[in-house]
Amino acid sequence: MRLSFLGPPGAGKGTQAQRVSARWRIPHLSTGEMLRAAIRAQTPLGQEVQGFMRAGNLVPDALVIRMLRERLEQPDIRPGFLLDGFPRTVVQAEALETFAPLDRVLYFDIPEAELLDRLAGRLSCPVCGRVYNLRSNPPRSPGVCDDDGTPLLQRPDDRPEAVRVRLSVYHQETAPVLAYYRARDLVESVPATGSVEEVYQRILRALGGAPPGRSEEAL
Ligand code: AP5
């Protein structure tokens, strides 16, 4: 299974990718999370990309393609992978085609008003990366991570001015990626409104239930 979740910022791709990758036992590769980890560690890549990300712009194609290509060379990728946030431009889709072509793309279909609401309420743990939502998925104690007690933060690119840029970049650069994969008949659309569980059940149906070689009962 070489799968990618495609959709606008805040559609719930990361939330669902964690569950699907655990069920299918394939690595969840979020380019956004890989880049944020590089910023936290202040690696040369992190220092180079932080200005783009904070403003809500895409990181240059060459940097993100190289980062992902190196990750896909690791041995844990052999059973497949779930990409979250890649490809985001047609240049990235064309590059991926040369080293790890996809066999499924799930498109998260959601109205813009719902995205704004979700992004405005998102908080994340800067240490473990766990994502919360003030409205739909609050932490047990206000403002701190359930797992490690770290104070939760709003992502810098969830500020309203950066969200506006991200949505505009999405329409300009990432919507054509959907057309690219539709032309290859790889896209399944999943309505991404409703609860996390409802969306998850729709994804399971779109993917055809249990992973190959494993029964529903074993999951
Ligand atoms: P990235 O981290 O990929 O951000 P994104 O695509 O904008 O997606 P988000 O993480 O904002 O949203 P999501 O769809 O994962 O939603 P989530 O599950 O968190 O990229 C960030 C930046 O990195 C980019 O702007 C760019 O600069 C750079 N970058 C990354 N990849 C790149 C690439 N390939 N090329 C160039 N640059 C790249 O959910 C959102 C909120 O809603 C959460 O609070 C969650 O709890 C809540 N929620 C989720 N599902 C539901 C539900 N069903 N009901 C109610 N609330 C829900």
Side-chain angles (χ1 to χ4, degrees):
M1 169 93 81
R2 292 173 158 190
L3 178 65
S4 175
F5 283 178
L6 202 71
K13 305 180 296 293
T15 302
Q16 297 295 340
Q18 283 181 358
R19 299 182 72 166
V20 172
S21 80
R23 182 181 170 103
W24 258 261
R25 297 197 191 147
I26 51 175
H28 166 203
L29 306 180
S30 158
T31 44
E33 194 43 49
M34 291 159 80
L35 292 165
R36 282 187 289 278
I39 293 175
R40 285 196 292 274
Q42 282 293 292
T43 64
L45 173 68
Q47 289 173 4
E48 198 167 348
V49 302
Q50 63 189 356
F52 294 104
M53 289 182 67
R54 176 172 277 275
N57 287 308
L58 293 183
V59 166
D61 284 329
L63 293 179
V64 77
I65 290 169
R66 190 173 65 219
M67 177 185 78
L68 184 74
R69 191 175 183 150
E70 283 171 9
R71 178 64 185 87
L72 289 176
E73 283 164 4
Q74 303 300 311
D76 64 326
I77 295 302
R78 234 167 274 136
F81 54 77
L82 195 177
L83 298 182
D84 160 14
F86 190 99
R88 254 180 157 94
T89 64
V90 171
V91 169
Q92 293 177 17
E94 287 170 346
L96 187 65
E97 206 61 28
T98 67
F99 56 86
L102 295 174
D103 43 43
R104 303 290 285 274
V105 173
L106 251 58
Y107 167 60
F108 284 52
D109 190 6
I110 185 164
E112 198 155 305
E114 174 75 16
L115 300 174
L116 297 175
D117 196 44
R118 288 187 187 179
L119 291 173
R122 175 165 58 185
L123 291 173
S124 7
C125 175
V127 172
C128 71
R130 185 165 166 182
V131 174
Y132 298 86
N133 192 279
L134 287 173
R135 188 174 52 88
S136 59
N137 177 26
R140 281 196 297 271
S141 305
V144 293
C145 181
D146 292 351
D147 291 338
D148 52 31
T150 306
L152 300 175
L153 297 177
Q154 185 185 44
R155 266 172 47 179
D157 60 349
D158 280 347
R159 287 170 297 114
E161 59 275 25
V163 167
R164 275 194 295 278
V165 175
R166 285 162 69 201
L167 285 171
S168 142
V169 167
Y170 173 77
H171 290 300
Q172 265 182 287
E173 303 282 349
T174 309
V177 176
L178 187 59
Y180 177 93
Y181 286 116
R182 279 201 168 127
R184 285 156 181 76
D185 205 17
L186 294 180
V187 178
E188 189 92 42
S189 277
V190 174
T193 47
S195 70
V196 170
E197 182 59 30
E198 284 166 340
V199 178
Y200 180 58
Q201 292 303 326
R202 286 181 206 131
I203 291 173
L204 294 190
R205 282 197 294 277
L207 293 177
R214 298 174 64 204
S215 67
E216 275 296 325
E217 296 70 47
L219 295 167

